[in-house]
Amino acid sequence: MTEPVTILSVTPLAHGWGRLDRYEVDHIRRDGTRQTVQREVYDHGSAAAVLLFAPAARTLILTRQFRLPAQVNGDPAWLIEAPAGLLDGELPEIAARREAMEETGYAPETMIFLFDAYMSPGSVTEKCACFLGRYTPGQQAASGGGLAEEGEDIEVFELGLDEALAMVKAGSIVDGKTILMLQALALRLAAGGAV
């Protein structure tokens, strides 16, 4: 559908770390009728993520960090994820490299763009640029662990690709961007693509 959406009003609800606004919009439905709806939209910026992979060893660098929304939803608060963070005005590849260093201490040697993805397009504006980054085991340039001034307390660990895929199947890895990047990597490897 390419028909325009008309924003009738925007009501600020909360403006802190991000912006939560209520929108009233008018749009044309598939059957040609017009519809007016209200939606709450949370905007805290877009993000970039990188899955660090060592092809020869078939290992990955992942993180475990505190995520309050998971706890609020009844799940464990410590999620296993690929390094990621907000763009903060940077190009996605630059932001992904910065986040890899801050969170893991590994600087990606090369990076391949995989895809852009909306994680929750029903209510959140964030679009995440996802990359595959090559690293060399044992070549950690810094300690990682995140930025203390941002309250980050990030565990960094290395594991095999097969183990990570099994963790997705078992429900131990539930972060959407990480699952998508792991699947993209597995598909690339199965097709003989560059990593």
Side-chain angles (χ1 to χ4, degrees):
M1 307 255 329
T2 59
E3 296 295 327
V5 173
T6 303
I7 296 174
L8 303 172
S9 67
V10 180
T11 304
L13 300 176
H15 291 180
W17 182 51
R19 299 174 53 104
L20 178 62
D21 296 311
R22 180 181 303 116
Y23 284 77
E24 185 172 6
V25 299
D26 182 77
H27 68 90
I28 296 176
R29 295 173 52 89
R30 289 181 299 126
D31 65 7
T33 61
R34 296 200 71 77
Q35 175 175 296
T36 299
V37 296
Q38 288 190 356
R39 298 289 186 265
E40 291 179 1
V41 176
Y42 183 64
D43 181 0
H44 72 136
S46 286
V50 58
L51 181 64
L52 295 168
F53 180 62
R58 289 182 56 91
T59 56
L60 306 160
I61 299 294
L62 294 177
T63 66
R64 186 183 335 259
Q65 58 183 304
F66 178 75
R67 297 298 192 196
L68 179 59
Q71 177 76 35
V72 170
N73 200 39
D75 290 318
W78 294 85
L79 294 187
I80 297 171
E81 305 177 29
L86 297 177
L87 298 182
D88 293 333
E90 296 174 322
L91 293 173
E93 183 173 342
I94 293 170
R97 286 181 181 280
R98 172 182 41 83
E99 289 295 331
M101 277 298 294
E102 287 176 7
E103 293 189 6
T104 72
Y106 284 91
E109 297 160 11
T110 59
M111 300 229 320
I112 299 169
F113 175 75
L114 295 173
F115 52 81
D116 284 321
Y118 283 97
M119 293 296 117
S120 188
S123 59
V124 179
T125 62
E126 179 183 318
K127 180 168 62 173
C128 188
C130 295
F131 295 87
L132 178 61
R134 182 184 290 233
Y135 82 99
T136 300
Q139 297 291 321
Q140 194 173 15
S143 61
L147 299 177
E149 62 268 20
E150 291 183 6
E152 294 179 322
D153 178 25
I154 298 171
E155 177 188 356
V156 180
F157 58 97
E158 189 172 43
L159 73 162
L161 173 59
D162 293 336
E163 181 182 356
L165 292 169
M167 292 171 77
V168 171
K169 184 175 181 180
S172 301
I173 296 177
V174 295
D175 174 63
K177 67 185 174 303
T178 304
I179 293 170
L180 290 170
M181 289 188 292
L182 285 167
Q183 293 296 325
L185 173 57
L187 289 170
R188 288 179 82 87
L189 290 171
V195 292

